[in-house]
Amino acid sequence: MKQKAWVWVLAGALLLSGGFLSYVWAQEQGKTSTEQEKTYTYTVKKGDTLWDISEELYHDPWVWPKVWEWNQYITNPHWIYPGNRLRVYYELPGGVKPAPAVSMPQPTTVAPPEPLGPAHITFKEIDQVGFITPEPPQGIGLVLGERHQKVLISLGDEVFVQMRHPSEVKVGDRYMVIKTSEKILHPITNKEVGYLNTILGVLEVLEVTPSHALTRVVRSYFPIEEGDKLMPYREHSPEIVLQDATEPKEGYVILARDRVRLMADYQIVFLDLGEEQGIQTGNRFEVYREPRATSLLSREPEIILTAEPIAELLVLSVEKDTAAAVVTSAKSEFIAGERVRAVVQN
């Protein structure tokens, strides 16, 4: 019996790997000859991340979302494995010269670097970030349930909703579905911070009646359930302009979007700094620690050693007193209550 089970596992693995290779092959065949002349294949090594690969190839780790975008078979940027083949450009669109790629053929000539204006990246998951509000949002409607009584609702399902002002709803309107957390307390001061609102998906109105509306799930990030609240859909541009802060700002990490204890690469985290503190989308932060040692030559009980950066963050969206950021690089995992400081213009 055990032997048969192993046979089925191996067969499944072969089918999955075959499907993956077929997908990559189809992508390669779909490339035009001109496009293939501009790109080559990078094979992922043990320990690689998209951040590290971007640093190695282009001397700029902040272009990792572009590398992800070029390789659409990668569904999650966390999950790349040794042996994965990435299609990358010899030269980034716009004329930025990459670093030489080891063991890769190089073009005979490359254009010199040209000014591109403000640096920017694309963050494709911008609509999934979530936000913190001082009070729980009332919402403009509620999910009544799935048309065929499914408990967990996902992409493509048809969903009945009830709106607070039905006369204002029309076919084609879109709404965010949100789930609001319990009250959040600051990990250091223990003061009330507000409520985390997780965006579960997006609904589009199909039909409207005096008592309810029928919608379809057009974007699904997390399972949707009866009773979840609706908010007006706010579309954010995935293009984020990188800009350093103009003056020092310091604060703390409040929590991770997924409420995990240990935070690391590519997770969404929230800071106790926002518009009121002059924070803007595109600002960069360091998570840092100040190691301490017992003094041996003075009466001071301890000495604060040189601050040690352990992670880098990029601000994705800003509310009044909080900001959402993505962890772009982490030397080690960190937790709520860690200190952050803005990267300031030179």
Side-chain angles (χ1 to χ4, degrees):
M1 190 68 183
K2 289 184 178 179
Q3 186 175 6
K4 287 183 178 180
W6 277 109
V7 169
W8 280 111
V9 170
L10 290 173
L14 288 171
L15 285 171
L16 286 173
S17 62
F20 169 77
L21 292 174
S22 297
Y23 184 91
V24 174
W25 175 253
Q27 278 198 323
E28 295 298 313
Q29 296 305 302
K31 300 284 185 183
T32 64
S33 58
T34 302
E35 196 173 3
Q36 288 205 5
E37 289 173 2
K38 296 179 180 179
T39 63
Y40 61 91
T41 299
Y42 176 91
T43 302
V44 176
K45 307 184 297 293
K46 183 178 180 180
D48 272 348
T49 65
L50 293 184
W51 175 269
D52 297 327
I53 291 168
S54 300
E55 171 70 25
E56 177 184 345
L57 301 183
Y58 305 116
H59 292 316
D60 186 358
W62 294 94
V63 303
W64 67 263
K66 287 293 184 186
V67 178
W68 183 24
E69 184 180 332
W70 300 332
N71 295 273
Q72 295 184 7
Y73 74 88
I74 299 175
T75 57
N76 188 318
H78 294 273
W79 299 338
I80 62 171
Y81 304 99
N84 284 169
R85 299 171 66 197
L86 304 180
R87 175 61 60 179
V88 293
Y89 282 80
Y90 286 111
E91 185 175 327
L92 286 174
V96 178
K97 182 180 178 181
V102 179
S103 303
M104 295 293 179
Q106 296 297 307
T108 54
T109 60
V110 293
E114 298 176 2
L116 298 178
H120 68 278
I121 68 164
T122 301
F123 189 77
K124 294 191 290 187
E125 296 182 337
I126 191 67
D127 281 343
Q128 306 176 37
V129 169
F131 53 96
I132 292 176
T133 51
E135 299 295 333
Q138 184 181 31
I140 59 174
L142 296 172
V143 172
L144 293 177
E146 200 270 339
R147 186 169 195 166
H148 303 292
Q149 300 183 337
K150 287 177 61 177
V151 176
L152 297 180
I153 302 164
S154 58
L155 185 66
D157 288 342
E158 293 186 353
V159 180
F160 292 110
V161 301
Q162 189 170 31
M163 308 301 291
R164 298 188 187 279
H165 304 285
S167 61
E168 298 176 2
V169 181
K170 59 184 184 296
V171 173
D173 285 351
R174 290 192 169 192
Y175 299 97
M176 298 188 302
V177 187
I178 67 167
K179 190 180 291 293
T180 303
S181 73
E182 298 296 324
K183 186 182 298 181
I184 299 168
L185 300 180
H186 195 286
I188 300 299
T189 66
N190 212 37
K191 292 181 179 179
E192 295 182 7
V193 173
Y195 298 80
L196 174 62
N197 300 281
T198 302
I199 302 172
L200 308 178
V202 179
L203 305 180
E204 184 174 295
V205 177
L206 302 177
E207 299 174 12
V208 180
T209 75
S211 62
H212 65 274
L214 177 64
T215 68
R216 176 179 288 118
V217 181
V218 293
R219 297 182 188 174
S220 178
Y221 311 134
F222 301 98
I224 298 169
E225 300 176 284
E226 177 184 335
D228 287 335
K229 292 180 285 189
L230 304 182
M231 296 281 287
Y233 175 58
R234 300 187 300 173
E235 187 167 11
H236 297 88
S237 171
E239 298 292 327
I240 297 176
V241 178
L242 305 180
Q243 50 186 344
D244 292 341
T246 55
E247 56 185 43
K249 302 287 182 183
E250 296 205 11
Y252 294 91
V253 175
I254 303 172
L255 79 166
R257 181 189 64 181
D258 302 325
R259 308 304 291 267
V260 295
R261 181 176 180 274
L262 297 177
M263 307 174 203
D265 288 338
Y266 308 126
Q267 287 181 319
I268 303 298
V269 301
F270 291 87
L271 312 180
D272 64 352
L273 300 167
E275 290 178 350
E276 290 288 311
Q277 293 76 37
I279 306 306
Q280 296 179 306
T281 298
N283 284 171
R284 291 181 285 176
F285 279 81
E286 290 180 336
V287 181
Y288 73 98
R289 292 172 182 159
E290 290 182 329
R292 297 167 183 260
T294 302
S295 176
L296 300 178
L297 299 176
S298 68
R299 295 181 180 179
E300 295 180 8
E302 60 182 5
I303 303 171
I304 299 176
L305 307 178
T306 304
E308 177 188 8
I310 59 171
E312 294 186 5
L313 312 176
L314 173 66
V315 175
L316 301 173
S317 62
V318 181
E319 304 297 329
K320 181 181 177 183
D321 292 305
T322 59
V326 61
V327 182
T328 54
S329 175
K331 295 179 181 177
S332 65
E333 294 174 320
F334 58 95
I335 61 174
E338 301 275 11
R339 300 175 67 178
V340 298
R341 60 187 178 194
V343 176
V344 182
Q345 285 180 351
N346 294 326

